Amino acid sequence: MSSYDARDVTDLYIFNSGTRQQSSERLTTHKVSVLVLIYEYYELCGRQNKLYSVDLTCPLSDRQKGELMLLILDLVLGPDVDLKGLRAQIDHVIDPVILKVVYDRLHSIATNGVKSFSDNIELVTILLSTNNEDGMIRRESVLGVYIRRMELAYYEMSFSQVVEMCNKFKRYYEAGFPEAKEEEEKVACRKSSLVGFSETGLSMSLLDEHPVTEASSANFFSKKQAEYFLANQALMLSHDEGKALPPDQLQQRLSSILSDNPDLAEAHFLSYINSLRVKEYCTAMNSLYHYFDRKASMLVESGQNKKKGVQDEVAMRYAALNLASLQFRFGNKEPCRAALREAIRLAQESNDQICLQHALVWLNLLGENHTGVTQLERSIKKTIDLSLPKLAVLGLHWISKGLGTGTELPARVIDYFTQSNLINCMNSNYGMMCTGCVQRAAMWHYYGKRELCSLDNQIVLNLNTSLNGVYYNGQAVCIALCNLAQHHADVGEYAAAFEILGQARLRFPCHTSHSEIWQSCQQRINFTRSLNNRKFNEAEQSLIDLEALDEPEAKIRKPLLLKEKGHVTEAFSCLNLLLSECDKEKSGYYADYRCRVLLELAALYIATGNCSAAVIHITDCIAHAKKHYLELYEGLGTAYLAFVQLSMNLPNQGLQLIESQLTLTAYLFLDITCSI
């Protein structure tokens, strides 16, 4: 994990909640700026400002007032940011006239010292009054409580602390307006030049004892700010990871939060999720342990002795379940099974049906649940009775995938996806709705229905998945974009394919957990284009990059490169080895992959002039495709067989074979010509 620094996570593992008290509210430079913004807004709306004459040619509309109040609420609840960050949030929302007054007041506080700082704090408190006719802000409102807390924090400060706060605010303002500081330095330089660059002038204008820090106010998190920050980041990570902080920045914020709020267990769980983004196993494991440790500690400190035993049992079985999830994500099957067995044992002892249903989902993912479809359908009904629609949808998807990769009729497989979509629509589960459409698109592609596959992918991209103004942008969206890019590349429209991949790159930057999907698709398309253009060096580099992202796809493309380079013997060796792997009982390869290997072997035999040897592999492919309802590979196999008959001077038999499946083969004509 290159973006991580060990120093960023050191504080996460200091567990001493019994001796450290909850941090009190503090007045920071950011909060002073928010107080100034609140004051100027209410001065505009209520009465004439005594210090400034505000003349608005266009009064604020109700919509502008609503947007401004929502922005102020977000600033009150959110974490501290530097002045540059604050300006980025308010410049495009607030009226320029109000904005100028706010910045003028901030400049006055930064340049006039303690008196201006104290006067502005007292001005804000004037807005509060017990008399509703005179007071602009009710004392019991959200802003009223916020102002009272800041007032209390101010009066608890000593004079030396106030002086230090003024110095911090000066550096905070200079970092937020670097252009103003540069202008002042230029003026000071001109003045010093008039007196011959005196030593005094240099020390006062060019030398600064305190370096400008852009984040001087972003080091403290109150408990409310921390809870709001954690909830917001958790929502972004589940709904649109690209809008969340990058992993290294988020880890630094979590360290800062835990330094001020050491007993905030949720911060450790968010650290666990953040570590999964970059596949940092050790940090994820420690964060998960500390989350449940602090949860147990909070129960003891809260005095819930009567329910302590029950709560401990709940924490233990869900800790085991989360540990199983962690081990599964990192491919540790045996530790995952052990943790699942522990969670199931504890859940059975306490008759926790919800925990058992969650464990059943992980058993299905491990491939160790060998019960029949009827038994799984009963389990799905149980999850619906327990109001667990997400687990019900996951169960339906697992049944669909299991039946689809077997020999079940496609109609029954698609019917399960229809049922899952109904559940998702009833519960407005946007993430699972997109996942269901993408999985159905994958099944359509598996069966050879490429147009239906493209249609489902476009449905994912056109769904209205807005949640609090944020659209769902998860793994399903990335897969849909890559599927459409591959669809365009298959018909030779590489410009459109790379334009779609560019959109995927913007939505899922390299630091996100789903970036490997579009990177793999990009390498597949690059390999095909380079191979068609006879650029073997570029194709070989794409193959190396693809092997790190998707090993099965790299394995089946390696013989293609060897064949085009003339290394026929090595290509035969690779394909025969790959076919033997596909024939193993638990190889992990699906039926379509085996058909692809058989067709590549047949194409290699045809290229070397050994058409009779190719017939065996072609007929094997057709039989395998018919058994699994793979119309695409059945049609490709038929076309290959007709081409072999044409090569053996049997044009009439080849023509009859093509005409027997004319509809399918005509649709697949482009794919056939590209493959042969």
Side-chain angles (χ1 to χ4, degrees), residues 364-384:
N364 291 334
L365 290 174
L366 278 172
E368 295 199 353
N369 188 15
H370 303 294
T371 57
V373 175
T374 306
Q375 198 74 13
L376 288 174
E377 289 177 341
R378 292 177 183 173
S379 175
I380 292 170
K381 291 179 181 178
K382 184 68 174 179
T383 58
I384 295 175

Side-chain angles (χ1 to χ4, degrees), residues 218-438:
N219 297 323
F220 175 75
F221 281 83
S222 67
K223 187 173 182 180
K224 293 294 183 183
Q225 283 181 317
E227 290 175 349
Y228 178 80
F229 175 80
L230 295 176
N232 182 62
Q233 289 297 312
L235 174 63
M236 293 299 103
L237 288 177
S238 62
H239 206 66
D240 188 355
E241 186 182 349
K243 294 186 181 299
L245 288 176
D248 54 341
Q249 295 182 23
L250 180 56
Q251 201 70 21
Q252 292 175 1
R253 290 290 186 92
L254 292 174
S255 299
S256 179
I257 287 173
L258 287 169
S259 66
D260 299 319
N261 305 273
D263 296 331
L264 197 59
E266 289 77 7
H268 288 281
F269 197 81
L270 188 61
S271 174
Y272 159 69
I273 297 175
N274 188 43
S275 300
L276 292 180
R277 297 167 67 188
V278 290
K279 299 181 180 180
E280 176 61 29
Y281 176 77
C282 294
T283 307
M285 179 75 75
N286 286 322
S287 297
L288 188 62
Y289 285 162
H290 280 278
Y291 167 72
F292 286 101
D293 286 344
R294 277 159 173 74
K295 275 293 185 182
S297 176
M298 289 170 61
L299 291 173
V300 173
E301 292 178 358
S302 62
Q304 297 180 0
N305 295 325
K306 295 181 180 179
K307 297 183 178 180
K308 178 184 173 183
V310 177
Q311 295 290 348
D312 285 347
E313 290 179 3
V314 173
M316 287 175 63
R317 57 179 175 266
Y318 281 99
L321 194 63
N322 279 274
L323 183 59
S325 169
L326 173 65
Q327 299 291 358
F328 179 83
R329 290 174 185 270
F330 285 94
N332 304 327
K333 297 295 181 67
E334 288 303 323
C336 178
R337 293 186 185 98
L340 268 181
R341 285 194 294 267
E342 180 68 14
I344 292 171
R345 182 184 64 80
L346 293 171
Q348 288 175 339
E349 289 177 356
S350 58
N351 195 26
D352 188 345
Q353 296 296 323
I354 295 178
C355 185
L356 285 172
Q357 292 301 323
H358 280 278
L360 180 62
V361 171
W362 288 109
L363 282 176
N364 291 334
L365 290 174
L366 278 172
E368 295 199 353
N369 188 15
H370 303 294
T371 57
V373 175
T374 306
Q375 198 74 13
L376 288 174
E377 289 177 341
R378 292 177 183 173
S379 175
I380 292 170
K381 291 179 181 178
K382 184 68 174 179
T383 58
I384 295 175
D385 293 339
L386 294 171
S387 298
L388 300 172
K390 188 173 182 179
L391 289 185
V393 170
L394 287 173
L396 288 169
H397 289 176
W398 186 86
I399 293 176
S400 302
K401 181 181 177 181
L403 294 177
T405 54
T407 57
E408 187 60 49
L409 287 171
R412 189 181 179 192
V413 175
I414 300 301
D415 181 63
Y416 281 109
F417 282 115
T418 304
Q419 295 179 33
S420 68
N421 283 338
L422 288 174
I423 297 175
N424 289 329
C425 292
M426 291 171 61
N427 295 276
S428 299
N429 193 341
Y430 301 125
M432 296 305 297
M433 198 181 301
C434 293
T435 301
C437 287
V438 165

Side-chain angles (χ1 to χ4, degrees), residues 83-152:
L83 189 53
K84 282 186 178 179
L86 181 64
R87 291 178 64 186
Q89 294 183 58
I90 67 177
D91 283 357
H92 64 284
V93 177
I94 299 178
D95 188 278
V97 179
I98 304 177
L99 208 59
K100 182 180 184 304
V101 176
V102 171
Y103 290 154
D104 287 344
R105 188 174 291 276
L106 294 181
H107 180 265
S108 174
I109 297 173
T111 55
N112 294 333
V114 176
K115 186 178 186 304
S116 177
F117 181 85
S118 302
D119 290 344
N120 279 278
I121 296 295
E122 293 177 0
L123 276 175
V124 178
T125 60
I126 295 175
L127 296 176
L128 298 178
S129 175
T130 54
N131 187 349
N132 292 336
E133 295 180 358
D134 297 334
M136 293 296 298
I137 301 178
R138 295 175 62 89
R139 296 177 65 86
E140 62 273 16
S141 65
V142 175
L143 292 183
V145 172
Y146 180 75
I147 294 174
R148 288 159 58 193
R149 287 165 56 194
M150 294 301 104
E151 181 184 12
L152 180 62

